[in-house]
């Protein structure tokens, strides 16, 4: 990551280009860049480019007032993040700005958010559990033959969904397409099969109509949530919803196959 420092008093000189600094940097490297930019002592300066920064940070840093020490410290925080961590960090910033009704983060907010990411680590799991349980309850699908097997199959499905969502979140460029495909797959399953009844819990005709209607309503609710997550760049939670859609669709297909074998 790089920043370009320019002294304010030379800003109108066409030959002047300032000095680029690779961050995070040592105190000596920062001072050298300040000397090359001719921004010494208390002379005013600003940073005009943020090359090779994550796009969501580059956009924010270009709009706020800050100094090189703060930017350098932020760079040291970001430098150690992998792609999953960056996606989570982007989601944290989006949550903060949503809570503030669109007010942009300051440099201190950007730094503080990098220390509070653990507060948001459970959210993908919450999305997975809520979406999975609500859809499965009304849509139906394959069920294990005993309570113990049901418990372990649920735990396994949950773990697989979270693992898949971690992989999906690393491929942000394909998430919108995957969400569309997963949504279509689940809709086809709901349209053709919901509700799938378990052999130990047959439905009355009235229950079938009620469960079918409710499964469509729940599906519509999660589609709206998925669109909101995408618009607010909450990539990890969006990825969790995609993996959940696919898991529910697979279990519905498995449940239908099980019905046919037992018919």
């Amino acid at each position: 990551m790089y920043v370009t420092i320019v002294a304010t008093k030379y800003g109108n000189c066409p030959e002047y280009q300032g000095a680029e600094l690779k961050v995070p940097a040592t105190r000596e490297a920062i001072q050298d860049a300040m000397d090359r930019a001719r921004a010494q002592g208390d002379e005013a300066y600003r940073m005009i480019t943020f090359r090779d920064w994550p796009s969501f940070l580059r956009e924010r840093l270009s709009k706020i007032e800050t100094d090189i020490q703060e930017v350098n410290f932020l760079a040291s925080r970001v430098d150690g993040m992998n792609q999953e961590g960056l996606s989570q960090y982007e989601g944290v910033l989006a949550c903060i700005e949503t809570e503030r009704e669109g007010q942009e983060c300051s440099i201190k907010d950007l730094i503080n958010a990098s220390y509070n990411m653990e507060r948001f680590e459970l959210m993908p799991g919450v999305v997975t559990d809520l979406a999975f349980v609500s859809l499965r309850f009304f849509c139906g699908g394959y069920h294990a033959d005993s309570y113990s097997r049901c418990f372990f199959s649920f735990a396994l499905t949950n773990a697989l969904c979270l693992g898949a969502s971690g992989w999906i979140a690393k491929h942000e460029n394909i998430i919108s397409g995957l969400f569309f495909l997963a949504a279509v797959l689940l809709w086809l399953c709901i349209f053709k099969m919901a509700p799938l009844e378990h052999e130990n819990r047959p439905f009355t005709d009235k229950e079938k109509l009620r469960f079918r209607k409710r499964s469509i309503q729940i599906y519509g609710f999660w589609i709206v949530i998925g669109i909101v997550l995408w618009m607010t760049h909450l990539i990890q939670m969006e990825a969790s919803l995609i993996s959940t859609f696919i898991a529910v669709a697979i279990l519905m297909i498995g449940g239908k196959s099980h019905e046919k074998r037992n018919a």
Side-chain angles (χ1 to χ4, degrees):
M1 295 178 287
Y2 298 83
V3 298
T4 300
I5 304 169
V6 295
T8 303
K9 68 178 181 179
Y10 299 116
N12 295 326
C13 299
E15 302 86 4
Y16 178 74
Q17 297 180 346
E20 189 174 65
L21 171 68
K22 183 177 181 180
V23 289
T26 63
R27 182 180 303 175
E28 292 76 15
I30 293 174
Q31 186 58 54
D32 175 69
M34 296 291 283
D35 291 340
R36 287 186 286 112
R38 289 179 279 178
Q40 301 176 351
D42 295 330
E43 292 181 0
Y45 69 91
R46 58 194 176 93
M47 283 160 280
I48 59 171
T49 60
F50 297 87
R51 184 164 66 89
D52 292 345
W53 284 72
S55 59
F56 67 92
L57 283 176
R58 184 170 61 248
E59 293 169 1
R60 289 174 170 87
L61 289 170
S62 64
K63 298 176 183 178
I64 61 179
E65 294 185 3
T66 182
D67 63 48
I68 186 59
Q69 299 297 339
E70 290 174 321
V71 169
N72 189 57
F73 186 74
L74 178 62
S76 68
R77 297 289 303 166
V78 175
D79 190 52
M81 296 182 188
N82 56 23
Q83 187 57 50
E84 184 175 353
L86 287 172
S87 296
Q88 184 181 352
Y89 184 37
E90 182 180 8
V92 171
L93 296 178
C95 285
I96 292 173
E97 291 177 349
T98 299
E99 290 177 356
R100 296 179 180 179
E101 298 181 350
Q103 180 182 348
E104 294 176 347
C105 293
S106 67
I107 184 65
K108 288 182 174 58
D109 292 328
L110 298 180
I111 293 171
N112 290 337
S114 70
Y115 286 98
N116 294 320
M117 289 166 58
E118 65 277 1
R119 293 168 52 193
F120 295 81
E121 287 180 350
L122 294 177
M123 290 304 295
V126 171
V127 170
T128 297
D129 289 342
L130 289 176
F132 183 81
V133 171
S134 60
L135 286 166
R136 281 274 283 162
F137 186 83
F138 292 105
C139 295
Y142 179 79
H143 290 272
D145 297 330
S146 65
Y147 285 116
S148 59
R149 289 181 180 180
C150 181
F151 173 81
F152 285 112
S153 64
F154 174 79
L156 178 61
T157 302
N158 192 58
L160 290 173
C161 284
L162 290 176
S165 68
W167 180 86
I168 293 170
K170 296 177 182 178
H171 300 80
E172 185 175 348
N173 58 316
I174 64 171
I175 282 184
S176 58
L178 277 178
F179 178 73
F180 173 77
L181 291 175
V184 170
L185 174 63
L186 182 56
W187 168 249
L188 290 174
C189 291
I190 291 174
F191 180 76
K192 290 180 176 295
M193 294 182 280
L196 282 169
E197 56 186 342
H198 189 264
E199 57 187 6
N200 295 326
R201 173 63 170 90
F203 297 143
T204 64
D205 290 339
K206 185 178 292 187
E207 283 179 323
K208 287 182 180 180
L209 290 174
R210 180 166 61 87
F211 273 54
R212 181 173 180 79
K213 180 179 179 181
R214 191 60 57 84
S215 66
I216 294 173
Q217 292 173 337
I218 295 295
Y219 169 82
F221 170 80
W222 285 114
I223 289 295
V224 172
I225 293 297
I227 293 171
V228 172
L229 292 175
W230 174 249
M231 292 177 64
T232 53
H233 302 287
L234 299 177
I235 302 302
Q236 186 66 54
M237 285 186 277
E238 175 82 357
S240 295
L241 193 57
I242 292 170
S243 63
T244 303
F245 279 9
I246 295 173
V248 173
I250 290 173
L251 288 169
M252 290 186 73
I253 294 170
K256 192 66 174 178
S257 299
H258 185 70
E259 279 187 358
K260 291 180 178 179
R261 286 196 301 270
N262 293 337

